[in-house]
Amino acid sequence: MNFLAHLYISRNHEQLSVGNFIADYVKGNNLNRYSPEIADGIRLHRTIDELTDNNPDYREVRRLFVVSHGKYSRVVADIVYDYVLASGWEAYEREVSLAQFQQKTNSLLLQNFSVLPLGVKLIIPFFVRNRWFVIYSQRDNLPRVLNGMIRFRGISGNADMALTILSEHEQQVRKAFELTFQKVSHEIKARFPLYSI
């Protein structure tokens, strides 16, 4: 899962959300420089990744994009999962619109800017200005997102081919997301009971 799904799972806890957002930019297990809540958010993110990577429905989605992105098919599957969540947002969240959730996340990250790793600080202007979560909600924006990954993370692949694959298999991908999300959310609630996610 990518940024949106991660943040949605920890949405009721601000510091947990900060840790969840920055986790990919934090190396190792020495988390003492962060508050206990942010450190738990980093652990939460890693747990979500572990559960998702081992989920058979998610692995099937990854396999779809091997032809377009090879070893980077995981990145595409993560972004596609965020697209499914964003485009069907109202089915998961009835109180806060996707645009409001984007604004809330922007504010949270800017308020905590001083504790963000350098790599996160560098992407925040693009995240805020381009409203990544809102962009994810439109399938036609996905090549733009994937090409951005090529520029910022050195990921190679064919974004147009990935979009064609998604178009051909969208119902399968949506069902896989739903099953994956249910299983991961259930397990997270069991592993992080103090946060009542």
Side-chain angles (χ1 to χ4, degrees), residues 89-168:
W89 182 258
E90 294 78 9
Y92 295 90
E93 176 59 58
R94 297 175 185 272
E95 295 182 10
V96 179
S97 71
L98 184 60
Q100 290 170 328
F101 189 74
Q102 173 80 66
Q103 186 57 49
K104 180 181 175 183
T105 303
N106 292 352
S107 298
L108 177 64
L109 295 172
L110 292 172
Q111 289 165 10
N112 289 274
F113 193 80
S114 63
V115 303
L116 303 180
L118 177 60
V120 178
K121 289 179 177 177
L122 294 175
I123 68 168
I124 289 299
F126 302 99
F127 176 84
V128 170
R129 182 173 66 242
N130 295 323
R131 303 171 74 220
W132 283 5
F133 294 163
V134 175
I135 284 176
Y136 286 159
S137 67
Q138 299 295 321
R139 186 174 59 190
D140 290 345
N141 287 332
L142 294 184
R144 174 183 170 191
V145 174
L146 292 170
N147 286 326
M149 290 289 184
I150 291 171
R151 287 195 303 275
F152 289 106
R153 295 176 60 182
I155 292 167
S156 60
N158 187 322
D160 291 332
M161 184 184 294
L163 186 63
T164 298
I165 293 168
L166 175 61
S167 298
E168 292 173 352

Side-chain angles (χ1 to χ4, degrees), residues 25-193:
Y25 296 83
V26 177
K27 305 305 178 189
N29 293 313
N30 185 8
L31 307 179
N32 294 333
R33 65 176 295 231
Y34 298 104
S35 70
E37 293 82 8
I38 290 178
D40 277 350
I42 294 168
R43 294 184 190 97
L44 170 63
H45 182 107
R46 293 172 179 176
T47 302
I48 293 169
D49 281 351
E50 174 195 347
L51 292 169
T52 304
D53 287 344
N54 290 317
N55 181 277
D57 300 297
Y58 173 79
R59 289 200 300 266
E60 284 299 316
V61 172
R62 279 188 63 179
R63 277 192 273 274
L64 290 174
F65 297 103
V66 169
V67 66
S68 66
H69 283 79
K71 65 181 181 179
Y72 299 112
S73 61
R74 179 182 188 267
V75 176
V76 182
D78 286 350
I79 291 170
V80 165
Y81 265 26
D82 266 12
Y83 154 72
V84 172
L85 176 57
S87 62
W89 182 258
E90 294 78 9
Y92 295 90
E93 176 59 58
R94 297 175 185 272
E95 295 182 10
V96 179
S97 71
L98 184 60
Q100 290 170 328
F101 189 74
Q102 173 80 66
Q103 186 57 49
K104 180 181 175 183
T105 303
N106 292 352
S107 298
L108 177 64
L109 295 172
L110 292 172
Q111 289 165 10
N112 289 274
F113 193 80
S114 63
V115 303
L116 303 180
L118 177 60
V120 178
K121 289 179 177 177
L122 294 175
I123 68 168
I124 289 299
F126 302 99
F127 176 84
V128 170
R129 182 173 66 242
N130 295 323
R131 303 171 74 220
W132 283 5
F133 294 163
V134 175
I135 284 176
Y136 286 159
S137 67
Q138 299 295 321
R139 186 174 59 190
D140 290 345
N141 287 332
L142 294 184
R144 174 183 170 191
V145 174
L146 292 170
N147 286 326
M149 290 289 184
I150 291 171
R151 287 195 303 275
F152 289 106
R153 295 176 60 182
I155 292 167
S156 60
N158 187 322
D160 291 332
M161 184 184 294
L163 186 63
T164 298
I165 293 168
L166 175 61
S167 298
E168 292 173 352
H169 299 275
E170 183 154 353
Q171 291 308 310
Q172 175 188 346
V173 170
R174 286 187 176 277
K175 184 62 176 178
F177 170 80
E178 184 179 332
L179 293 171
T180 306
F181 199 68
Q182 287 175 353
K183 292 175 183 176
V184 170
S185 297
H186 178 77
E187 185 64 28
I188 287 297
K189 287 178 182 177
R191 295 195 192 188
F192 292 83

